[in-house]
Amino acid sequence: MASCTIDGSTVIIDTDLLSAEVHTEGYVSGIKAQTLLDKTTGVRDLGHGLHIVDFLLEPLQDEPGCSLPYHHGDVTHGDIVKRYVELPQICTKARKLAFEVSEGDGWVAVRQWFRYTEATYGRRPGSLWEQTMVFQDGLRYFLSSDRITSVNTVPQLTLRIDMPGHLKHDAGDSFERIYLSYGGTSPAAAFVEDFPPDARNLYRRNDSTIPDYMIRAYQVRQEGAEGPWLAGITLDPGIVSEAWCHQRGYVCFIEEIGGRPVAAGESFGAAYAVGWFDRIQDARATADEYRGVAGIELSGTEETGDRRWSLYR
């Protein structure tokens, strides 16, 4: 039966098919690196964590003299122009997140949140980021969501995340291949040499041709053979404004959601399924099952015994 243990700032989650850790201090957000254990095969994720969260951006050039410039023109960011709206980078700089844990019959949910503390170009800091993750018995993946409530009016506001998560390797030794639903399959050998995000595998939303799926996955190498796929599925593909998959010492799986006008006080977000699949067809079936889901809502209270979660579109 799904359960959790809180040990200081660490939440340890256990279901019949998965185990994972959420660290709410230090390097924060999402699932702690290499702790998502697939009990069916014994494999773990290979990177810096899963569903890791960064900052708020907009697709504009910085003005001269900006005190918080966004750098580009290198292998990290390529020639893709952006500028910060609110900071810090949550995963590396927030240092500590508020959180709550809920449990029910066969499920555990973890909710984390943080208010950005810096803003650019005369805007206010304080936009609220919320992340909810739900783990259920009987599933080798978990459901998760992000929600931003902005304190600023921004014409094209985006949230940057890692989805499913960056991939560590040494000359392609730990994985077989990468699959991008909008770009096909690439062998591990394609990620030996560094290249910037705009060199290849760059996705940019075109509202006239939204893809049917937004699935980004890597197939692990297990004892020298092909193992399962670790996939990140964005359940409403239309919310993704841009996505990268490039090599910069590791495979960088950046994804940006939003990119639409947001007025002060308004919210936007996305929902995902993240975890283990034997075949890409299985990931597509999961995407079909939850197609169009935009978020996760927790309701009720532990005190009254009616704590529950639901999905919304």
Side-chain angles (χ1 to χ4, degrees), residues 73-235:
D74 56 19
V75 72
T76 300
H77 293 153
D79 291 321
I80 302 173
V81 172
K82 309 274 183 183
R83 70 183 188 186
Y84 297 117
V85 174
E86 289 185 68
L87 294 154
Q89 184 181 47
I90 287 177
C91 59
T92 61
K93 299 293 179 63
R95 308 306 299 167
K96 183 176 182 178
L97 300 180
F99 74 98
E100 64 175 353
V101 176
S102 303
E103 296 182 72
D105 185 14
W107 61 271
V108 173
V110 180
R111 175 176 168 262
Q112 307 182 92
W113 63 95
F114 180 80
R115 286 192 181 273
Y116 288 97
T117 59
E118 301 173 88
T120 62
Y121 299 102
R123 289 176 284 225
R124 296 170 51 203
S127 291
L128 175 65
W129 162 77
E130 300 171 89
Q131 180 184 67
T132 304
M133 297 176 285
V134 177
F135 300 79
Q136 303 170 75
D137 281 331
L139 298 178
R140 293 166 68 195
Y141 59 84
F142 63 93
L143 298 174
S144 62
S145 67
D146 290 303
R147 182 177 175 87
I148 292 291
T149 302
S150 178
V151 298
N152 297 293
T153 296
V154 184
Q156 292 177 279
L157 184 62
T158 63
L159 171 67
R160 177 173 290 182
I161 65 173
D162 305 341
M163 181 56 56
H166 301 331
L167 166 58
K168 294 180 180 179
H169 65 99
D170 183 4
D173 63 332
S174 61
F175 71 105
E176 294 288 333
R177 54 187 58 85
I178 283 173
Y179 171 79
L180 305 172
S181 56
Y182 50 86
T185 303
S186 299
F191 296 88
V192 173
E193 301 293 334
D194 287 355
F195 61 92
D198 46 353
R200 59 181 187 266
N201 302 327
L202 176 63
Y203 170 83
R204 281 180 167 152
R205 182 174 56 209
N206 180 338
D207 285 331
S208 65
T209 56
I210 298 296
D212 291 333
Y213 300 97
M214 182 56 64
I215 302 172
R216 292 144 58 78
Y218 58 82
Q219 186 180 32
V220 301
R221 184 171 296 154
Q222 185 178 23
E223 297 178 353
E226 295 180 355
W229 292 85
L230 190 286
I233 307 167
T234 306
L235 303 178

Side-chain angles (χ1 to χ4, degrees), residues 262-276:
V262 175
E266 291 183 343
S267 300
F268 72 95
Y272 324 88
V274 183
W276 299 103

